[in-house]
Amino acid sequence: MARYVPPTQSKFGQVIDVIVLLAMTIGALYIPLWFGLAGSAHVANVAENPTWESLGQNEVMVEKWTQLGYADPAAAAELITGRFDYSFSIGSLLVMIVVIVGYYAIMLRFSEKEYRDVIAEKFNGE
């Protein structure tokens, strides 16, 4: 039985592959942020004239805030009360499910084709 030798790819092809994969990775991470679909909802509930007590901070916490440079409770109020908004819409959830399932279906289809090509190369189509 002949040893399988995969087809070789040129250095230029490898560089193009890396650039395409890098662009796809950055795109997958930043496109949702650019469209405001993820990570941009930050809600702060700051009261007027906040005090350390109204912000729920004890003496140790106040000391640590002071060490961080927030001597005034109003300056730290937005950081303390800030929360991420995790709400979502059903439409966005369905679109995300379709995208993920579609991606895995396409990858499964391409993998099946590659697998069959390798078997055909190794066993000469038998």
Side-chain angles (χ1 to χ4, degrees), residues 89-112:
S89 69
I90 296 296
S92 297
L93 177 65
L94 293 175
V95 168
M96 186 57 67
I97 288 172
V98 167
V99 168
I100 290 172
V101 169
Y103 171 77
Y104 280 108
I106 289 171
M107 292 305 297
L108 186 63
R109 181 73 180 144
F110 287 157
S111 296
E112 179 185 7

Short mmCIF file of all heavy atoms in Angstrom, two decimals, residues 89-112:
data_model
loop_
_atom_site.label_atom_id
_atom_site.label_comp_id
_atom_site.label_asym_id
_atom_site.label_seq_id
_atom_site.Cartn_x
_atom_site.Cartn_y
_atom_site.Cartn_z
N SER A 89 -33.17 39.90 21.45
CA SER A 89 -34.44 39.72 20.76
C SER A 89 -34.50 38.29 20.20
O SER A 89 -33.47 37.67 19.91
CB SER A 89 -34.57 40.73 19.62
OG SER A 89 -33.65 40.43 18.61
N ILE A 90 -35.69 37.80 20.05
CA ILE A 90 -35.88 36.46 19.50
C ILE A 90 -35.39 36.41 18.05
O ILE A 90 -34.80 35.43 17.62
CB ILE A 90 -37.37 36.05 19.58
CG1 ILE A 90 -37.81 35.95 21.05
CG2 ILE A 90 -37.64 34.74 18.86
CD1 ILE A 90 -37.09 34.87 21.83
N GLY A 91 -35.60 37.49 17.30
CA GLY A 91 -35.13 37.54 15.92
C GLY A 91 -33.62 37.40 15.82
O GLY A 91 -33.11 36.63 14.99
N SER A 92 -32.89 38.11 16.68
CA SER A 92 -31.43 38.00 16.69
C SER A 92 -30.97 36.60 17.08
O SER A 92 -30.02 36.07 16.51
CB SER A 92 -30.83 39.01 17.67
OG SER A 92 -31.11 40.31 17.27
N LEU A 93 -31.68 36.01 18.04
CA LEU A 93 -31.34 34.66 18.47
C LEU A 93 -31.54 33.67 17.33
O LEU A 93 -30.69 32.81 17.07
CB LEU A 93 -32.18 34.25 19.69
CG LEU A 93 -31.96 32.84 20.19
CD1 LEU A 93 -30.54 32.66 20.72
CD2 LEU A 93 -32.97 32.50 21.26
N LEU A 94 -32.66 33.80 16.61
CA LEU A 94 -32.93 32.89 15.49
C LEU A 94 -31.91 33.08 14.37
O LEU A 94 -31.46 32.08 13.77
CB LEU A 94 -34.36 33.11 14.98
CG LEU A 94 -35.47 32.70 15.95
CD1 LEU A 94 -36.84 33.07 15.38
CD2 LEU A 94 -35.40 31.22 16.28
N VAL A 95 -31.55 34.32 14.09
CA VAL A 95 -30.53 34.56 13.05
C VAL A 95 -29.21 33.92 13.46
O VAL A 95 -28.55 33.28 12.63
CB VAL A 95 -30.37 36.07 12.80
CG1 VAL A 95 -29.12 36.36 11.97
CG2 VAL A 95 -31.60 36.64 12.12
N MET A 96 -28.84 34.06 14.72
CA MET A 96 -27.59 33.47 15.20
C MET A 96 -27.64 31.95 15.11
O MET A 96 -26.65 31.32 14.71
CB MET A 96 -27.31 33.91 16.64
CG MET A 96 -25.96 33.47 17.15
SD MET A 96 -24.58 34.02 16.13
CE MET A 96 -24.64 35.76 16.38
N ILE A 97 -28.77 31.34 15.45
CA ILE A 97 -28.90 29.88 15.35
C ILE A 97 -28.77 29.45 13.89
O ILE A 97 -28.06 28.47 13.58
CB ILE A 97 -30.24 29.42 15.96
CG1 ILE A 97 -30.19 29.57 17.47
CG2 ILE A 97 -30.55 27.99 15.57
CD1 ILE A 97 -31.52 29.34 18.16
N VAL A 98 -29.40 30.17 12.97
CA VAL A 98 -29.31 29.81 11.54
C VAL A 98 -27.87 29.94 11.06
O VAL A 98 -27.36 29.07 10.33
CB VAL A 98 -30.26 30.70 10.72
CG1 VAL A 98 -29.97 30.58 9.24
CG2 VAL A 98 -31.70 30.34 11.01
N VAL A 99 -27.18 31.00 11.48
CA VAL A 99 -25.79 31.19 11.06
C VAL A 99 -24.90 30.07 11.58
O VAL A 99 -24.10 29.50 10.83
CB VAL A 99 -25.27 32.57 11.53
CG1 VAL A 99 -23.76 32.68 11.38
CG2 VAL A 99 -25.96 33.68 10.76
N ILE A 100 -25.04 29.72 12.85
CA ILE A 100 -24.18 28.68 13.43
C ILE A 100 -24.49 27.31 12.83
O ILE A 100 -23.57 26.57 12.44
CB ILE A 100 -24.34 28.65 14.97
CG1 ILE A 100 -23.72 29.92 15.55
CG2 ILE A 100 -23.68 27.42 15.56
CD1 ILE A 100 -23.97 30.11 17.03
N VAL A 101 -25.76 26.97 12.70
CA VAL A 101 -26.12 25.67 12.11
C VAL A 101 -25.69 25.63 10.65
O VAL A 101 -25.16 24.61 10.17
CB VAL A 101 -27.64 25.41 12.27
CG1 VAL A 101 -28.07 24.20 11.46
CG2 VAL A 101 -27.97 25.20 13.74
N GLY A 102 -25.87 26.73 9.93
CA GLY A 102 -25.43 26.79 8.54
C GLY A 102 -23.93 26.62 8.40
O GLY A 102 -23.45 25.91 7.52
N TYR A 103 -23.20 27.26 9.32
CA TYR A 103 -21.74 27.14 9.29
C TYR A 103 -21.33 25.68 9.49
O TYR A 103 -20.50 25.16 8.74
CB TYR A 103 -21.13 28.01 10.39
CG TYR A 103 -19.66 27.78 10.60
CD1 TYR A 103 -18.73 28.31 9.73
CD2 TYR A 103 -19.21 27.01 11.66
CE1 TYR A 103 -17.38 28.08 9.90
CE2 TYR A 103 -17.87 26.78 11.86
CZ TYR A 103 -16.96 27.32 10.98
OH TYR A 103 -15.63 27.08 11.16
N TYR A 104 -21.92 25.01 10.48
CA TYR A 104 -21.54 23.62 10.71
C TYR A 104 -21.99 22.72 9.58
O TYR A 104 -21.29 21.76 9.23
CB TYR A 104 -22.08 23.14 12.06
CG TYR A 104 -21.23 23.62 13.20
CD1 TYR A 104 -21.67 24.60 14.06
CD2 TYR A 104 -19.95 23.11 13.39
CE1 TYR A 104 -20.88 25.07 15.08
CE2 TYR A 104 -19.15 23.57 14.41
CZ TYR A 104 -19.62 24.55 15.25
OH TYR A 104 -18.81 25.02 16.25
N ALA A 105 -23.12 23.00 8.96
CA ALA A 105 -23.57 22.20 7.82
C ALA A 105 -22.60 22.35 6.65
O ALA A 105 -22.23 21.36 6.00
CB ALA A 105 -24.99 22.60 7.43
N ILE A 106 -22.17 23.58 6.39
CA ILE A 106 -21.21 23.82 5.30
C ILE A 106 -19.88 23.14 5.61
O ILE A 106 -19.28 22.50 4.74
CB ILE A 106 -21.03 25.33 5.08
CG1 ILE A 106 -22.29 25.91 4.44
CG2 ILE A 106 -19.81 25.62 4.21
CD1 ILE A 106 -22.31 27.42 4.37
N MET A 107 -19.40 23.26 6.86
CA MET A 107 -18.13 22.62 7.23
C MET A 107 -18.22 21.10 7.12
O MET A 107 -17.28 20.44 6.66
CB MET A 107 -17.72 23.01 8.65
CG MET A 107 -17.33 24.46 8.79
SD MET A 107 -16.03 25.00 7.65
CE MET A 107 -14.68 23.99 8.18
N LEU A 108 -19.36 20.54 7.51
CA LEU A 108 -19.55 19.09 7.39
C LEU A 108 -19.54 18.68 5.94
O LEU A 108 -18.93 17.67 5.57
CB LEU A 108 -20.86 18.68 8.08
CG LEU A 108 -21.12 17.19 8.17
CD1 LEU A 108 -20.07 16.51 9.02
CD2 LEU A 108 -22.50 16.95 8.75
N ARG A 109 -20.18 19.45 5.09
CA ARG A 109 -20.23 19.14 3.66
C ARG A 109 -18.84 19.23 3.04
O ARG A 109 -18.43 18.34 2.30
CB ARG A 109 -21.20 20.12 2.97
CG ARG A 109 -21.34 19.89 1.52
CD ARG A 109 -22.15 18.65 1.26
NE ARG A 109 -22.26 18.47 -0.18
CZ ARG A 109 -22.25 17.30 -0.77
NH1 ARG A 109 -22.19 16.20 -0.05
NH2 ARG A 109 -22.35 17.22 -2.05
N PHE A 110 -18.09 20.29 3.35
CA PHE A 110 -16.73 20.43 2.82
C PHE A 110 -15.81 19.33 3.35
O PHE A 110 -14.98 18.79 2.62
CB PHE A 110 -16.14 21.79 3.16
CG PHE A 110 -16.73 22.93 2.37
CD1 PHE A 110 -16.66 24.21 2.86
CD2 PHE A 110 -17.34 22.73 1.14
CE1 PHE A 110 -17.19 25.27 2.14
CE2 PHE A 110 -17.87 23.77 0.41
CZ PHE A 110 -17.80 25.04 0.92
N SER A 111 -15.96 18.99 4.63
CA SER A 111 -15.13 17.93 5.21
C SER A 111 -15.42 16.60 4.54
O SER A 111 -14.50 15.81 4.29
CB SER A 111 -15.38 17.83 6.71
OG SER A 111 -14.99 19.01 7.35
N GLU A 112 -16.68 16.33 4.27
CA GLU A 112 -17.04 15.08 3.60
C GLU A 112 -16.41 15.01 2.22
O GLU A 112 -15.86 13.99 1.82
CB GLU A 112 -18.57 14.97 3.48
CG GLU A 112 -19.00 13.69 2.78
CD GLU A 112 -20.50 13.64 2.56
OE1 GLU A 112 -21.18 14.64 2.83
OE2 GLU A 112 -20.97 12.60 2.11
#
